[in-house]
Amino acid sequence: MNAEIIAVGTEILLGDIVNTNAQYISRELANLGINVYKQEVVGDNEERVLESFKNAFENSDIIITTGGLGPTPDDLTKEMAAKYFNKELVLHKESYENLKKFFEKSGRELVGSNEKQVYFPKDAIVLKNDHGTAPGAIIEGDNGKKIVVLPGPPREMKPMFDNYVVPYLKEFTDSVLVSKVLRTFGIGESRMAEIVNDLIVNQTNPTLAPYAKDIEAILRITAKAKNEKEAEELIKPVEKEIRRRLEEYIYGEGETSLEEVVGELLVKKGIKIATAESCTGGMVAEKLINYAGISESFLEGAVTYSNEAKMKRLGVKKETLDKYGAVSKETAREMAEGIAKAAGADLGVSTTGIAGPGGGTAEKPVGLVYIGVYYKGNCLVKEFNFTGNRNRVRVRTTMSALDLVRRTIK
């Protein structure tokens, strides 16, 4: 079965809002084994919406729309779907009663324009909106084609899709797609793809696809089978081989973040941590604190931006700063050790670097960063040369510091 996703709304075309609905629906349709042939955005215009329906059905069996179900005259998705299939709209009594209760409960008056939201083709499958006033619907044509109309707000669309549309669509599929995402850090997409290139080229089921996402790289393994269990069994040997080749870079799977992985490791192992930051200005500490329960491990964070602060707070030697400078492996080492000892922590992590746009020299260019990790009496310092603007350098430094902590304690 082929599907097309059409977002209806001039506000999307103007860039006022981001169309996150299409991403969500595409992913869920893929899980059902339904091929998404195309995604489209069309403005609130009758002729254009009808033309979009016509063009979509040349290649697709089902259209899923989002938006255009509100009470105003330019909310016309449902009306155009009915018009396309030559169906008359009639009052849906159950939806009308629900709408009345909603307005009574909120102390507002139900006006005629709102009633527009509860008119549907007589034979439509009306989808209850548990989080808003606009019900959705599944409208079936005599030719077997189908249009699913859903509300635009994600908080209304997602539960409606999950609770009502997914069970309906399952009746038309005889297979499922299951995907597993492996997340890596410290390796670029091209290098990662090179290491697993033979798997990418030779695999047909499961398939393997590399992606660059923000400052990390991910691998998506996707298998097609009769059911979820069979698909998972197909994925297992491929995943095992990928992990063997990329073991040091893989930090998690699914939607897991690097900060979650590091936070969990610290708490699970009972490791106390403290941070000393210069160029990142507290970003490492912020990421750690995002993890619920980190209070069991995180002791304190110090932003020591000036040389004076590095000496006073962390015990960095003046001789070290005079000889090597604030941005040096020697300073990073003394920062990491200094914060660990001052806080009574098992592990100290430090960052110092030149984030830019100014401050760089031929010997120490913008993007030069040193990250130190002091743990159990040993101190590891790594040098990095990042590119990009000031914020990107700081973000990459922050995430690299977390990754260095992960590698140290895993």
Side-chain angles (χ1 to χ4, degrees), residues 301-373:
V303 177
T304 53
Y305 210 67
S306 66
N307 285 354
E308 291 76 13
K310 290 179 177 67
M311 291 186 289
K312 182 178 179 180
R313 180 70 183 85
L314 307 175
V316 175
K317 298 182 183 67
K318 185 177 186 301
E319 295 80 3
T320 301
L321 292 166
D322 289 343
K323 184 175 181 179
Y324 300 106
V327 180
S328 64
K329 62 181 180 181
E330 291 80 8
T331 297
R333 179 178 291 110
E334 291 186 19
M335 288 174 67
E337 182 175 354
I339 192 63
K341 291 182 176 179
D346 304 305
L347 187 151
V349 57
S350 66
T351 64
T352 181
I354 305 170
T361 64
E363 294 77 19
K364 295 183 178 182
V366 170
L368 174 65
V369 170
Y370 292 95
I371 299 173
V373 174

Side-chain angles (χ1 to χ4, degrees), residues 373-397:
V373 174
Y374 177 86
Y375 184 52
K376 292 184 176 179
N378 297 310
C379 193
L380 170 67
V381 178
K382 291 199 67 175
E383 177 184 316
F384 298 87
N385 286 277
F386 296 128
T387 58
N389 61 26
R390 180 178 179 83
N391 186 62
R392 186 166 179 81
V393 170
R394 295 177 69 223
V395 169
R396 290 186 68 86
T397 302

